[in-house]
Amino acid sequence: MELTNGRYSIQGVDILDVVNEFGAPLYVYDFQKMERQYKRLVNAFPDVRMKALYACKALTNINVLKHFRKMGAGLDTVSIQEVWLGLKAGFKPEDIVYTPNCVSFEEIQMAVKEGVKINIDNISILEQFGNAYGGTVPVCIRINPHILAGGNPKISTGHIDSKFGISIYQMRHLQRVIASSGILVEGLHMHTGSDILDIDVFLRGAEVLLQTAKEFPNLKSIDFGSGFKVPYKPNDASTNIEELGAKLSERVLEFIGEYGREVEIHFEPGKFMVSESGYFFVRTNVIKTTTATVFAGVDSGQNHLIRPMFYDAYHHILNVTNPQGTERFYTVVGYVCETDTFAWDRKMNEVREGDILVFRNAGAYAFSMSSNYNSRFRPAEVAIQNGKAHLIRRRENLDDLLATQMEMDI
Ligand SMILES: *Cc1c(COP(=O)(O)O)cnc(C)c1O
């Protein structure tokens, strides 16, 4: 988003024109930014065979999925519904990886029927899988390397108490199950958390995975998961993808030399691919001064963007209608009947009732975590692509709220 002559624009498209046309609250995604992120990741690994799978739970609009398919990405899914969306978006089954956690065996069988790659993260399911398919359907195994990583306990998945993955301390048990049921293991996987800044954490996790990989002779891919940190605040640090690419590629080439056959490496970022491409626009309903603070109350809440309340996430907020206004402090809150505070004591250009504010980093885990709480409609979504604004999801209406409800005689 750029500011020229007091107006904000994306790809040359004037933002206030877009908000006026489609209304607020509104999610807007810069498709070019997604492309730049995807290419940045791919270009960081020129010397090894690397495939980037978009972890679509971050943002599942079908147009976003198609955009990643056209760029050549694969898809990382965590539910059978995401698998179906991926197939609808035109991904080939072999380009979709299904990495569920604590789902039923029936759901895994449904994914097998769709022909997608199956990632298994517990021994009980693996046993059932072996009983049902033997070596006829290859699997990928999700390992928990017990590397502590991530920006917040709620988004760290590699620790000892985590429900994700098969512990590296269970390798003997794992190998016994594989040997006795003849399961064909073609991939190893880890995903240790989100918002990991320190690339040494990745490299340590990768080392554990590569050591483990030596015990599996039929690997075609090794998946290092994701968790790349993106900048949220101005001047925030982010994962140095280029340095990671250089260091990990070197290590992977060495591994391939010892292993004796080619393996493809995978990453499956969600946040890195789409976070910064997203903007969430809201209108200011009220400025309310209390004895303690000045509230800017906006026409949205935790029903549309829950990350600040759920993860204490920081989203930078700008006043797009008054970019030259005097800077003052505001506590930005939603209209939901909960304490849905987006931000405390934020310095912003003077906010007047009616002003449009924008939350940055609203691409990942923003719309996809939205709900109808308080019976509010979910916002519309707009893509900016080729210098034009495209409506890619209309705003909901009362019929949508009632669409799945059945009336009984009262
Ligand atoms: C959520 C998830 C990701 C994506 O994580 P980000 O932090 O958004 O990059 C990748 N892999 C798996 C298995 C996930 O569950």
Side-chain angles (χ1 to χ4, degrees), residues 53-58 76-78 98-101 119 142 155 157 164 189-196 223-229 267-274 364-365:
L53 300 121
Y54 168 52
C56 71
K57 72 175 185 288
D76 183 71
T77 62
V78 292
Y98 171 65
T99 304
N101 173 260
N119 202 340
R142 179 170 183 172
I155 53 177
T157 60
F164 295 99
H189 170 274
M190 70 168 192
H191 172 66
T192 50
S194 202
D195 276 356
I196 308 168
D223 188 329
F224 296 106
S226 173
F228 305 139
K229 182 168 171 7
F267 284 99
E268 42 185 43
K271 193 175 279 179
F272 177 81
M273 299 286 216
V274 297
Y365 310 107

mmCIF file of all heavy atoms in Angstrom, residues 53-58 76-78 98-101 119 142 155 157 164 189-196 223-229 267-274 364-365, ligand 1:
data_model
loop_
_atom_site.group_PDB
_atom_site.id
_atom_site.type_symbol
_atom_site.label_atom_id
_atom_site.label_comp_id
_atom_site.label_asym_id
_atom_site.label_seq_id
_atom_site.Cartn_x
_atom_site.Cartn_y
_atom_site.Cartn_z
ATOM 1 N N LEU A 53 4.427 -25.522 -0.706
ATOM 2 C CA LEU A 53 3.003 -25.835 -0.638
ATOM 3 C C LEU A 53 2.338 -24.724 0.158
ATOM 4 O O LEU A 53 2.800 -24.402 1.256
ATOM 5 C CB LEU A 53 2.791 -27.173 0.079
ATOM 6 C CG LEU A 53 3.458 -28.377 -0.584
ATOM 7 C CD1 LEU A 53 4.433 -29.039 0.349
ATOM 8 C CD2 LEU A 53 2.411 -29.367 -1.032
ATOM 9 N N TYR A 54 1.291 -24.170 -0.380
ATOM 10 C CA TYR A 54 0.594 -23.100 0.337
ATOM 11 C C TYR A 54 -0.308 -23.729 1.402
ATOM 12 O O TYR A 54 -1.197 -24.531 1.094
ATOM 13 C CB TYR A 54 -0.223 -22.263 -0.656
ATOM 14 C CG TYR A 54 -1.199 -21.326 0.013
ATOM 15 C CD1 TYR A 54 -0.778 -20.460 1.014
ATOM 16 C CD2 TYR A 54 -2.546 -21.315 -0.352
ATOM 17 C CE1 TYR A 54 -1.671 -19.614 1.652
ATOM 18 C CE2 TYR A 54 -3.446 -20.460 0.264
ATOM 19 C CZ TYR A 54 -3.004 -19.616 1.266
ATOM 20 O OH TYR A 54 -3.891 -18.786 1.895
ATOM 21 N N ALA A 55 -0.081 -23.368 2.685
ATOM 22 C CA ALA A 55 -0.913 -23.880 3.786
ATOM 23 C C ALA A 55 -2.205 -23.076 3.800
ATOM 24 O O ALA A 55 -2.278 -21.979 4.336
ATOM 25 C CB ALA A 55 -0.176 -23.756 5.113
ATOM 26 N N CYS A 56 -3.240 -23.661 3.205
ATOM 27 C CA CYS A 56 -4.385 -22.838 2.828
ATOM 28 C C CYS A 56 -5.296 -22.484 3.986
ATOM 29 O O CYS A 56 -6.190 -21.655 3.833
ATOM 30 C CB CYS A 56 -5.169 -23.483 1.694
ATOM 31 S SG CYS A 56 -6.093 -24.937 2.163
ATOM 32 N N LYS A 57 -5.094 -23.066 5.172
ATOM 33 C CA LYS A 57 -5.987 -22.660 6.257
ATOM 34 C C LYS A 57 -5.830 -21.183 6.583
ATOM 35 O O LYS A 57 -6.710 -20.577 7.166
ATOM 36 C CB LYS A 57 -5.766 -23.527 7.503
ATOM 37 C CG LYS A 57 -4.480 -23.286 8.265
ATOM 38 C CD LYS A 57 -4.477 -24.136 9.531
ATOM 39 C CE LYS A 57 -3.293 -23.898 10.435
ATOM 40 N NZ LYS A 57 -2.024 -24.442 9.890
ATOM 41 N N ALA A 58 -4.696 -20.590 6.166
ATOM 42 C CA ALA A 58 -4.476 -19.161 6.413
ATOM 43 C C ALA A 58 -5.529 -18.299 5.712
ATOM 44 O O ALA A 58 -5.988 -17.300 6.259
ATOM 45 C CB ALA A 58 -3.078 -18.758 5.958
ATOM 46 N N ASP A 76 -1.066 -27.359 1.042
ATOM 47 C CA ASP A 76 -1.063 -28.068 2.316
ATOM 48 C C ASP A 76 -2.437 -27.900 2.957
ATOM 49 O O ASP A 76 -2.914 -26.780 3.121
ATOM 50 C CB ASP A 76 0.023 -27.489 3.239
ATOM 51 C CG ASP A 76 0.105 -28.260 4.549
ATOM 52 O OD1 ASP A 76 0.565 -29.411 4.519
ATOM 53 O OD2 ASP A 76 -0.306 -27.719 5.593
ATOM 54 N N THR A 77 -3.064 -29.026 3.295
ATOM 55 C CA THR A 77 -4.430 -28.984 3.826
ATOM 56 C C THR A 77 -4.485 -29.696 5.167
ATOM 57 O O THR A 77 -3.699 -30.610 5.421
ATOM 58 C CB THR A 77 -5.409 -29.689 2.865
ATOM 59 O OG1 THR A 77 -5.018 -31.066 2.754
ATOM 60 C CG2 THR A 77 -5.394 -29.054 1.489
ATOM 61 N N VAL A 78 -5.420 -29.291 6.019
ATOM 62 C CA VAL A 78 -5.530 -29.908 7.338
ATOM 63 C C VAL A 78 -6.905 -30.527 7.594
ATOM 64 O O VAL A 78 -7.172 -30.999 8.696
ATOM 65 C CB VAL A 78 -5.196 -28.895 8.466
ATOM 66 C CG1 VAL A 78 -3.720 -28.516 8.425
ATOM 67 C CG2 VAL A 78 -6.056 -27.650 8.373
ATOM 68 N N TYR A 98 -2.204 -33.731 2.730
ATOM 69 C CA TYR A 98 -3.232 -33.687 3.774
ATOM 70 C C TYR A 98 -2.557 -34.005 5.097
ATOM 71 O O TYR A 98 -2.043 -35.103 5.297
ATOM 72 C CB TYR A 98 -4.299 -34.724 3.400
ATOM 73 C CG TYR A 98 -5.358 -35.014 4.425
ATOM 74 C CD1 TYR A 98 -6.268 -34.040 4.816
ATOM 75 C CD2 TYR A 98 -5.478 -36.294 4.966
ATOM 76 C CE1 TYR A 98 -7.258 -34.337 5.746
ATOM 77 C CE2 TYR A 98 -6.473 -36.594 5.883
ATOM 78 C CZ TYR A 98 -7.352 -35.603 6.272
ATOM 79 O OH TYR A 98 -8.324 -35.898 7.176
ATOM 80 N N THR A 99 -2.495 -32.991 5.985
ATOM 81 C CA THR A 99 -1.784 -33.121 7.264
ATOM 82 C C THR A 99 -2.748 -32.900 8.414
ATOM 83 O O THR A 99 -2.792 -31.829 9.006
ATOM 84 C CB THR A 99 -0.647 -32.063 7.351
ATOM 85 O OG1 THR A 99 0.202 -32.221 6.217
ATOM 86 C CG2 THR A 99 0.188 -32.232 8.602
ATOM 87 N N PRO A 100 -3.582 -33.884 8.720
ATOM 88 C CA PRO A 100 -4.591 -33.662 9.751
ATOM 89 C C PRO A 100 -4.036 -33.988 11.129
ATOM 90 O O PRO A 100 -2.970 -34.578 11.249
ATOM 91 C CB PRO A 100 -5.670 -34.665 9.373
ATOM 92 C CG PRO A 100 -4.896 -35.817 8.820
ATOM 93 C CD PRO A 100 -3.660 -35.262 8.176
ATOM 94 N N ASN A 101 -4.761 -33.590 12.139
ATOM 95 C CA ASN A 101 -4.375 -33.918 13.514
ATOM 96 C C ASN A 101 -5.625 -34.305 14.279
ATOM 97 O O ASN A 101 -6.604 -33.557 14.314
ATOM 98 C CB ASN A 101 -3.703 -32.695 14.154
ATOM 99 C CG ASN A 101 -3.428 -32.917 15.630
ATOM 100 O OD1 ASN A 101 -4.168 -32.462 16.476
ATOM 101 N ND2 ASN A 101 -2.372 -33.646 15.911
ATOM 102 N N ASN A 119 -0.385 -37.493 5.295
ATOM 103 C CA ASN A 119 0.626 -37.280 6.315
ATOM 104 C C ASN A 119 0.039 -37.785 7.633
ATOM 105 O O ASN A 119 -1.035 -37.338 8.034
ATOM 106 C CB ASN A 119 0.861 -35.769 6.383
ATOM 107 C CG ASN A 119 2.199 -35.426 6.971
ATOM 108 O OD1 ASN A 119 2.803 -36.235 7.654
ATOM 109 N ND2 ASN A 119 2.640 -34.218 6.706
ATOM 110 N N ARG A 142 4.613 -37.475 10.171
ATOM 111 C CA ARG A 142 4.912 -36.213 10.839
ATOM 112 C C ARG A 142 5.659 -36.489 12.141
ATOM 113 O O ARG A 142 5.141 -37.147 13.045
ATOM 114 C CB ARG A 142 3.622 -35.439 11.141
ATOM 115 C CG ARG A 142 3.905 -34.129 11.856
ATOM 116 C CD ARG A 142 2.670 -33.251 11.939
ATOM 117 N NE ARG A 142 2.974 -31.981 12.569
ATOM 118 C CZ ARG A 142 2.124 -30.960 12.635
ATOM 119 N NH1 ARG A 142 0.912 -31.086 12.100
ATOM 120 N NH2 ARG A 142 2.469 -29.842 13.215
ATOM 121 N N ILE A 155 0.828 -21.071 19.505
ATOM 122 C CA ILE A 155 1.195 -21.382 18.123
ATOM 123 C C ILE A 155 2.499 -22.164 18.047
ATOM 124 O O ILE A 155 3.092 -22.310 17.003
ATOM 125 C CB ILE A 155 1.258 -20.106 17.240
ATOM 126 C CG1 ILE A 155 2.160 -19.040 17.854
ATOM 127 C CG2 ILE A 155 -0.143 -19.553 17.011
ATOM 128 C CD1 ILE A 155 2.301 -17.793 16.986
ATOM 129 N N THR A 157 4.167 -25.800 18.282
ATOM 130 C CA THR A 157 3.650 -27.159 18.156
ATOM 131 C C THR A 157 4.713 -28.224 18.376
ATOM 132 O O THR A 157 4.430 -29.402 18.302
ATOM 133 C CB THR A 157 3.019 -27.372 16.766
ATOM 134 O OG1 THR A 157 4.041 -27.146 15.788
ATOM 135 C CG2 THR A 157 1.869 -26.446 16.514
ATOM 136 N N PHE A 164 0.906 -32.519 18.487
ATOM 137 C CA PHE A 164 1.242 -32.726 17.072
ATOM 138 C C PHE A 164 2.432 -33.663 16.869
ATOM 139 O O PHE A 164 3.431 -33.582 17.578
ATOM 140 C CB PHE A 164 1.574 -31.381 16.409
ATOM 141 C CG PHE A 164 0.413 -30.441 16.357
ATOM 142 C CD1 PHE A 164 0.282 -29.427 17.293
ATOM 143 C CD2 PHE A 164 -0.555 -30.559 15.370
ATOM 144 C CE1 PHE A 164 -0.801 -28.548 17.245
ATOM 145 C CE2 PHE A 164 -1.633 -29.692 15.313
ATOM 146 C CZ PHE A 164 -1.754 -28.691 16.267
ATOM 147 N N HIS A 189 8.090 -35.360 7.778
ATOM 148 C CA HIS A 189 7.555 -34.014 7.903
ATOM 149 C C HIS A 189 7.736 -33.497 9.313
ATOM 150 O O HIS A 189 7.733 -34.278 10.280
ATOM 151 C CB HIS A 189 6.059 -34.090 7.559
ATOM 152 C CG HIS A 189 5.274 -32.857 7.854
ATOM 153 N ND1 HIS A 189 4.736 -32.603 9.096
ATOM 154 C CD2 HIS A 189 4.924 -31.819 7.081
ATOM 155 C CE1 HIS A 189 4.077 -31.437 9.060
ATOM 156 N NE2 HIS A 189 4.180 -30.939 7.848
ATOM 157 N N MET A 190 7.906 -32.196 9.438
ATOM 158 C CA MET A 190 7.812 -31.549 10.755
ATOM 159 C C MET A 190 7.193 -30.169 10.549
ATOM 160 O O MET A 190 7.252 -29.587 9.475
ATOM 161 C CB MET A 190 9.197 -31.399 11.405
ATOM 162 C CG MET A 190 10.091 -30.374 10.719
ATOM 163 S SD MET A 190 11.546 -29.982 11.718
ATOM 164 C CE MET A 190 12.161 -28.538 10.857
ATOM 165 N N HIS A 191 6.554 -29.694 11.601
ATOM 166 C CA HIS A 191 6.066 -28.309 11.593
ATOM 167 C C HIS A 191 6.044 -27.900 13.046
ATOM 168 O O HIS A 191 5.238 -28.399 13.818
ATOM 169 C CB HIS A 191 4.678 -28.220 10.969
ATOM 170 C CG HIS A 191 4.058 -26.860 11.103
ATOM 171 N ND1 HIS A 191 4.578 -25.755 10.457
ATOM 172 C CD2 HIS A 191 3.007 -26.406 11.816
ATOM 173 C CE1 HIS A 191 3.853 -24.696 10.781
ATOM 174 N NE2 HIS A 191 2.896 -25.061 11.602
ATOM 175 N N THR A 192 6.965 -27.012 13.426
ATOM 176 C CA THR A 192 7.195 -26.827 14.859
ATOM 177 C C THR A 192 6.534 -25.596 15.448
ATOM 178 O O THR A 192 6.604 -25.384 16.649
ATOM 179 C CB THR A 192 8.700 -26.759 15.163
ATOM 180 O OG1 THR A 192 9.289 -25.829 14.277
ATOM 181 C CG2 THR A 192 9.353 -28.104 14.998
ATOM 182 N N GLY A 193 5.882 -24.773 14.631
ATOM 183 C CA GLY A 193 5.225 -23.617 15.230
ATOM 184 C C GLY A 193 5.149 -22.473 14.257
ATOM 185 O O GLY A 193 5.505 -22.611 13.087
ATOM 186 N N SER A 194 4.688 -21.349 14.761
ATOM 187 C CA SER A 194 4.523 -20.197 13.887
ATOM 188 C C SER A 194 5.294 -19.018 14.460
ATOM 189 O O SER A 194 5.600 -18.989 15.650
ATOM 190 C CB SER A 194 3.036 -19.861 13.798
ATOM 191 O OG SER A 194 2.772 -19.124 12.642
ATOM 192 N N ASP A 195 5.624 -18.060 13.610
ATOM 193 C CA ASP A 195 6.366 -16.866 14.032
ATOM 194 C C ASP A 195 7.766 -17.195 14.543
ATOM 195 O O ASP A 195 8.220 -16.665 15.559
ATOM 196 C CB ASP A 195 5.609 -16.102 15.142
ATOM 197 C CG ASP A 195 4.565 -15.166 14.566
ATOM 198 O OD1 ASP A 195 4.488 -15.064 13.325
ATOM 199 O OD2 ASP A 195 3.829 -14.555 15.340
ATOM 200 N N ILE A 196 8.467 -18.091 13.845
ATOM 201 C CA ILE A 196 9.835 -18.430 14.251
ATOM 202 C C ILE A 196 10.787 -17.470 13.536
ATOM 203 O O ILE A 196 10.862 -17.449 12.312
ATOM 204 C CB ILE A 196 10.191 -19.876 13.873
ATOM 205 C CG1 ILE A 196 9.117 -20.843 14.387
ATOM 206 C CG2 ILE A 196 11.567 -20.242 14.425
ATOM 207 C CD1 ILE A 196 9.230 -22.235 13.818
ATOM 208 N N ASP A 223 9.751 -32.698 4.405
ATOM 209 C CA ASP A 223 8.974 -31.462 4.533
ATOM 210 C C ASP A 223 9.367 -30.758 5.827
ATOM 211 O O ASP A 223 9.188 -31.309 6.916
ATOM 212 C CB ASP A 223 7.482 -31.832 4.537
ATOM 213 C CG ASP A 223 6.578 -30.622 4.476
ATOM 214 O OD1 ASP A 223 6.967 -29.565 5.003
ATOM 215 O OD2 ASP A 223 5.478 -30.747 3.910
ATOM 216 N N PHE A 224 9.897 -29.541 5.672
ATOM 217 C CA PHE A 224 10.367 -28.802 6.848
ATOM 218 C C PHE A 224 9.299 -27.882 7.435
ATOM 219 O O PHE A 224 9.607 -27.032 8.263
ATOM 220 C CB PHE A 224 11.641 -28.023 6.507
ATOM 221 C CG PHE A 224 12.803 -28.909 6.154
ATOM 222 C CD1 PHE A 224 13.232 -29.048 4.845
ATOM 223 C CD2 PHE A 224 13.442 -29.638 7.140
ATOM 224 C CE1 PHE A 224 14.295 -29.876 4.518
ATOM 225 C CE2 PHE A 224 14.507 -30.479 6.838
ATOM 226 C CZ PHE A 224 14.934 -30.594 5.519
ATOM 227 N N GLY A 225 8.067 -28.040 6.989
ATOM 228 C CA GLY A 225 6.969 -27.291 7.600
ATOM 229 C C GLY A 225 7.024 -25.814 7.294
ATOM 230 O O GLY A 225 7.356 -25.404 6.184
ATOM 231 N N SER A 226 6.717 -25.046 8.307
ATOM 232 C CA SER A 226 6.686 -23.606 8.091
ATOM 233 C C SER A 226 6.923 -22.897 9.403
ATOM 234 O O SER A 226 7.646 -23.390 10.258
ATOM 235 C CB SER A 226 5.345 -23.204 7.492
ATOM 236 O OG SER A 226 5.262 -21.812 7.430
ATOM 237 N N GLY A 227 6.305 -21.768 9.575
ATOM 238 C CA GLY A 227 6.468 -20.989 10.790
ATOM 239 C C GLY A 227 7.294 -19.742 10.567
ATOM 240 O O GLY A 227 7.720 -19.106 11.521
ATOM 241 N N PHE A 228 7.521 -19.377 9.308
ATOM 242 C CA PHE A 228 8.301 -18.167 9.028
ATOM 243 C C PHE A 228 7.610 -16.955 9.612
ATOM 244 O O PHE A 228 6.404 -16.793 9.483
ATOM 245 C CB PHE A 228 8.462 -17.957 7.516
ATOM 246 C CG PHE A 228 9.045 -19.134 6.805
ATOM 247 C CD1 PHE A 228 8.545 -19.536 5.576
ATOM 248 C CD2 PHE A 228 10.097 -19.850 7.367
ATOM 249 C CE1 PHE A 228 9.077 -20.623 4.909
ATOM 250 C CE2 PHE A 228 10.639 -20.941 6.708
ATOM 251 C CZ PHE A 228 10.123 -21.331 5.480
ATOM 252 N N LYS A 229 8.409 -16.096 10.217
ATOM 253 C CA LYS A 229 7.853 -14.876 10.796
ATOM 254 C C LYS A 229 7.851 -13.770 9.743
ATOM 255 O O LYS A 229 8.801 -13.599 9.002
ATOM 256 C CB LYS A 229 8.682 -14.450 11.997
ATOM 257 C CG LYS A 229 8.106 -13.216 12.658
ATOM 258 C CD LYS A 229 8.717 -12.919 14.004
ATOM 259 C CE LYS A 229 8.306 -11.568 14.554
ATOM 260 N NZ LYS A 229 7.293 -10.824 13.826
ATOM 261 N N PHE A 267 8.353 -26.983 1.757
ATOM 262 C CA PHE A 267 7.930 -26.048 2.800
ATOM 263 C C PHE A 267 6.445 -25.820 2.627
ATOM 264 O O PHE A 267 5.917 -25.953 1.525
ATOM 265 C CB PHE A 267 8.667 -24.708 2.685
ATOM 266 C CG PHE A 267 10.065 -24.775 3.188
ATOM 267 C CD1 PHE A 267 11.118 -24.926 2.299
ATOM 268 C CD2 PHE A 267 10.332 -24.695 4.535
ATOM 269 C CE1 PHE A 267 12.415 -25.010 2.760
ATOM 270 C CE2 PHE A 267 11.628 -24.772 5.006
ATOM 271 C CZ PHE A 267 12.671 -24.927 4.117
ATOM 272 N N GLU A 268 5.782 -25.449 3.724
ATOM 273 C CA GLU A 268 4.328 -25.259 3.614
ATOM 274 C C GLU A 268 3.892 -24.015 4.372
ATOM 275 O O GLU A 268 3.176 -24.117 5.362
ATOM 276 C CB GLU A 268 3.612 -26.505 4.139
ATOM 277 C CG GLU A 268 4.259 -27.029 5.396
ATOM 278 C CD GLU A 268 3.664 -28.319 5.893
ATOM 279 O OE1 GLU A 268 3.401 -29.207 5.083
ATOM 280 O OE2 GLU A 268 3.485 -28.419 7.117
ATOM 281 N N PRO A 269 4.312 -22.856 3.906
ATOM 282 C CA PRO A 269 3.970 -21.629 4.628
ATOM 283 C C PRO A 269 2.559 -21.129 4.329
ATOM 284 O O PRO A 269 2.079 -21.220 3.189
ATOM 285 C CB PRO A 269 5.002 -20.610 4.114
ATOM 286 C CG PRO A 269 5.519 -21.166 2.841
ATOM 287 C CD PRO A 269 5.145 -22.603 2.724
ATOM 288 N N GLY A 270 1.926 -20.617 5.374
ATOM 289 C CA GLY A 270 0.648 -19.939 5.190
ATOM 290 C C GLY A 270 0.859 -18.448 5.372
ATOM 291 O O GLY A 270 0.724 -17.644 4.452
ATOM 292 N N LYS A 271 1.252 -18.114 6.596
ATOM 293 C CA LYS A 271 1.442 -16.704 6.948
ATOM 294 C C LYS A 271 2.408 -15.980 6.012
ATOM 295 O O LYS A 271 2.133 -14.877 5.549
ATOM 296 C CB LYS A 271 1.979 -16.672 8.384
ATOM 297 C CG LYS A 271 1.949 -15.346 9.034
ATOM 298 C CD LYS A 271 2.394 -15.472 10.478
ATOM 299 C CE LYS A 271 1.277 -15.952 11.384
ATOM 300 N NZ LYS A 271 1.726 -16.095 12.787
ATOM 301 N N PHE A 272 3.543 -16.619 5.736
ATOM 302 C CA PHE A 272 4.547 -15.985 4.875
ATOM 303 C C PHE A 272 3.959 -15.654 3.504
ATOM 304 O O PHE A 272 4.253 -14.617 2.922
ATOM 305 C CB PHE A 272 5.748 -16.936 4.724
ATOM 306 C CG PHE A 272 6.820 -16.415 3.802
ATOM 307 C CD1 PHE A 272 7.747 -15.492 4.256
ATOM 308 C CD2 PHE A 272 6.891 -16.847 2.483
ATOM 309 C CE1 PHE A 272 8.734 -15.006 3.411
ATOM 310 C CE2 PHE A 272 7.872 -16.370 1.628
ATOM 311 C CZ PHE A 272 8.795 -15.442 2.092
ATOM 312 N N MET A 273 3.115 -16.521 2.998
ATOM 313 C CA MET A 273 2.568 -16.332 1.649
ATOM 314 C C MET A 273 1.528 -15.213 1.583
ATOM 315 O O MET A 273 1.473 -14.489 0.608
ATOM 316 C CB MET A 273 1.899 -17.623 1.168
ATOM 317 C CG MET A 273 2.816 -18.810 1.059
ATOM 318 S SD MET A 273 3.923 -18.752 -0.336
ATOM 319 C CE MET A 273 3.964 -20.503 -0.752
ATOM 320 N N VAL A 274 0.694 -15.100 2.628
ATOM 321 C CA VAL A 274 -0.467 -14.210 2.461
ATOM 322 C C VAL A 274 -0.643 -13.122 3.518
ATOM 323 O O VAL A 274 -1.454 -12.206 3.313
ATOM 324 C CB VAL A 274 -1.788 -15.020 2.354
ATOM 325 C CG1 VAL A 274 -1.794 -15.905 1.120
ATOM 326 C CG2 VAL A 274 -2.065 -15.840 3.605
ATOM 327 N N ALA A 364 -3.517 -13.503 6.605
ATOM 328 C CA ALA A 364 -3.455 -14.855 7.168
ATOM 329 C C ALA A 364 -4.226 -14.941 8.480
ATOM 330 O O ALA A 364 -4.069 -14.088 9.349
ATOM 331 C CB ALA A 364 -1.998 -15.260 7.401
ATOM 332 N N TYR A 365 -5.026 -15.984 8.629
ATOM 333 C CA TYR A 365 -5.792 -16.240 9.852
ATOM 334 C C TYR A 365 -6.669 -15.052 10.232
ATOM 335 O O TYR A 365 -6.822 -14.722 11.406
ATOM 336 C CB TYR A 365 -4.836 -16.631 11.004
ATOM 337 C CG TYR A 365 -3.886 -17.714 10.581
ATOM 338 C CD1 TYR A 365 -2.538 -17.451 10.344
ATOM 339 C CD2 TYR A 365 -4.362 -18.998 10.337
ATOM 340 C CE1 TYR A 365 -1.685 -18.452 9.896
ATOM 341 C CE2 TYR A 365 -3.515 -19.995 9.904
ATOM 342 C CZ TYR A 365 -2.177 -19.714 9.683
ATOM 343 O OH TYR A 365 -1.341 -20.698 9.237
HETATM 344 C C1 LIG B 1 -0.811 -24.058 9.979
HETATM 345 C C2 LIG B 1 0.151 -24.945 9.355
HETATM 346 C C3 LIG B 1 1.135 -24.418 8.491
HETATM 347 C C4 LIG B 1 1.297 -22.953 8.204
HETATM 348 O O1 LIG B 1 1.873 -22.238 9.250
HETATM 349 P P1 LIG B 1 2.234 -20.704 9.072
HETATM 350 O O2 LIG B 1 2.771 -20.268 10.378
HETATM 351 O O3 LIG B 1 0.997 -19.971 8.680
HETATM 352 O O4 LIG B 1 3.235 -20.592 7.981
HETATM 353 C C5 LIG B 1 1.977 -25.326 7.892
HETATM 354 N N1 LIG B 1 1.876 -26.652 8.114
HETATM 355 C C6 LIG B 1 0.944 -27.187 8.924
HETATM 356 C C7 LIG B 1 0.874 -28.653 9.103
HETATM 357 C C8 LIG B 1 0.063 -26.353 9.578
HETATM 358 O O5 LIG B 1 -0.848 -26.881 10.406
#
